[in-house]
Amino acid sequence: MSKSWRFAGNEMKYIEEVLDNGFRAGADGAMTERVEALFAETFGQPFAIAFNSGTSTLHAALAAFGVGPGDEVIIPNLSPIMCGVTPVFCGATPVYADVGWDDFLLDPVDVRAKITEKTKAIMPVHLYGQVCDMDAIMALAKEFELKVIEDCAECFLGKDAKGRVGGTIGDAGSWSFEASKHLVAGEGGMITCQDENLAMEIRKFGGLGFANLTARSGKVRIDRDKFQNPDWQRHDRIGFNYRMSELTGAVALAQTERIVELVDLRIAAGNGYRELLARSELLRPQKLPAGEVNSCFTFAARFDGLEQDIAWDDFRMAFIKNGGDGIYACWQLIGDEPAMADKGIGWGETPVAKKLQRRIMQFTSNQRNAEERDVQQNALMQTLKEFGDTV
Ligand SMILES: Cc1ncc(COP(=O)(O)O)c(C=O)c1O
């Protein structure tokens, strides 16, 4: 067993199994098949396909939707760059839509304003663990015949007010097992969907286009007589090698077995901060509509202290001095990153996102227990008091 509480489940056991079996990827009982099956069951989806990242999943979904040169994909500008570059990988243009001032999530009103004849898909991002307004987004998708890929890299078991789990509402859902996420396998991704043909196209796109891949199976060596025949034609699609490795699959499987425990820990941390900030004038938590579940990838809040001339970094340094982990800033808006801006990639003004980007503070939610959570909450309480806040 690992010495780290985060990997204290079956992670080591499954890693050993992979090594003992001599890497059976593509064969019966592979770890990647096991994690796919468990993930599909956990999210109540018929198809789950394991990938090597939560970026390659987005790329595969867009490609399988048929997104190509000349098309546009609407994404929130306030999001990490993976959401912007994946349309570019397809030869398409990212169109930057704005987000809500209070919930920081893709604004369906602005999405409507950004739809053109070239729009092919929308990528709602369930940022910081909270599900976007999927009713409004799905209504737009229906009206304009668009595909929807839900980016749930930061949202594991987050729910909307109807109790629907983020990632199960659009045409496909995408998750990441990168080192900071709810479930960690170092790197890795998962994509789910309900349409068998879409699942097969996604799997082939990420699996080198092997002809005998199916929606449910990543096995490539199914028939020895065929495989050892010089006439056997292996590939019927152009595809990338985006496959999850067996070792990653071992860790991802053990982590998925613990999904409820790991997500609940983050939610407990989020609830603690949320309670603490109930009367705060300086920090406004990401607004959570009644009945929704925010899975609290981090705990995000808007720092209104800027309006009172409190510098972002003064607040951050005081928090650290008081024993806090640190405060994570928001990324640059995707369209403002030099990689995009210098080449003029994408279009779309997003004034709310622009103002928010300077103000969003993320607090860590990956504490192990109440004792560790108390350290962070006490540090925040002390800091707010020092700046004259009502807590
Ligand atoms: C919102 C969001 N989308 C996509 C990704 C990409 O995931 P990965 O790092 O696994 O490629 C991440 C995280 O890194 C993310 O936070």
Side-chain angles (χ1 to χ4, degrees), residues 93-381:
T93 300
V95 174
Y96 309 121
D98 217 340
V99 297
W101 178 241
D102 294 314
D103 68 6
F104 320 154
L105 301 174
L106 186 62
D107 174 6
V109 174
D110 197 49
V111 172
R112 176 181 283 277
K114 301 273 165 64
I115 292 173
T116 72
E117 285 186 347
K118 297 178 183 166
T119 312
K120 257 286 174 55
I122 311 174
M123 188 188 293
V125 181
H126 303 328
L127 218 52
Y128 310 128
Q130 190 165 315
V131 180
C132 297
D133 180 352
M134 289 304 294
D135 272 343
I137 290 164
M138 293 312 290
L140 287 171
K142 195 167 173 207
E143 185 180 340
F144 294 95
E145 294 182 20
L146 308 174
K147 294 289 184 188
V148 175
I149 166 72
E150 293 176 73
D151 182 352
C152 315
E154 301 187 358
C155 186
F156 285 73
L157 302 182
K159 290 185 186 153
D160 73 1
K162 291 181 173 164
R164 296 178 301 184
V165 175
T168 66
I169 308 163
D171 294 283
S174 159
W175 287 263
S176 164
F177 297 109
E178 177 270 333
S180 70
K181 301 300 190 286
H182 292 77
L183 306 188
V184 173
E187 300 283 358
M190 188 67 76
I191 187 160
T192 66
C193 66
Q194 298 180 7
D195 180 272
E196 183 162 1
N197 197 45
L198 182 66
M200 185 194 68
E201 291 299 337
I202 288 171
R203 195 186 287 284
K204 287 193 176 184
F205 187 81
L208 290 163
F210 273 97
N212 50 3
L213 293 175
T214 68
R216 281 212 169 76
S217 172
K219 281 199 255 319
V220 289
R221 271 165 274 146
I222 45 173
D223 180 335
R224 199 166 70 156
D225 291 337
K226 280 184 184 156
F227 233 76
Q228 296 184 359
N229 181 338
D231 290 330
W232 175 237
Q233 295 180 320
R234 285 170 171 72
H235 305 273
D236 62 3
R237 299 282 192 287
I238 297 288
F240 286 69
N241 184 353
Y242 279 165
R243 295 176 299 205
M244 178 181 276
S245 83
E246 280 292 278
L247 285 172
T248 304
V251 182
L253 174 62
Q255 290 270 291
T256 305
E257 287 173 347
R258 297 171 61 206
I259 187 168
V260 172
E261 171 201 344
L262 293 167
V263 169
D264 280 354
L265 279 174
R266 300 221 183 198
I267 292 177
N271 287 345
Y273 291 119
R274 193 173 292 278
E275 244 168 71
L276 174 65
L277 295 178
R279 290 183 305 126
S280 173
E281 301 278 325
L282 290 182
L283 275 172
R284 310 277 181 183
Q286 180 175 26
K287 189 172 179 193
L288 182 65
E292 294 197 14
V293 176
N294 182 328
S295 63
C296 296
F297 163 62
T298 52
F299 180 78
R302 191 182 71 222
F303 183 56
D304 285 349
L306 286 193
E307 272 63 37
Q308 300 177 31
D309 288 332
I310 302 171
W312 202 97
D313 210 43
D314 288 349
F315 192 88
R316 172 174 166 269
M317 290 315 291
F319 179 63
I320 292 171
K321 182 189 82 216
N322 288 324
D325 268 348
I327 299 174
Y328 291 83
C330 188
W331 325 266
Q332 292 297 305
L333 299 183
I334 295 175
D336 290 346
E337 287 286 2
M340 308 298 261
D342 290 357
K343 293 213 159 65
I345 297 173
W347 63 267
E349 293 300 313
T350 60
V352 177
K354 185 116 198 139
K355 206 169 164 200
L356 261 181
Q357 189 274 338
R358 291 254 127 227
R359 288 168 171 76
I360 283 182
M361 289 187 165
Q362 291 183 74
F363 296 88
T364 57
S365 59
N366 59 354
Q367 288 82 33
R368 176 185 194 170
N369 51 32
E371 207 179 312
E372 288 187 11
R373 290 195 289 273
D374 282 350
V375 173
Q376 298 308 311
Q377 284 161 32
N378 290 337
L380 182 55
M381 172 128 67

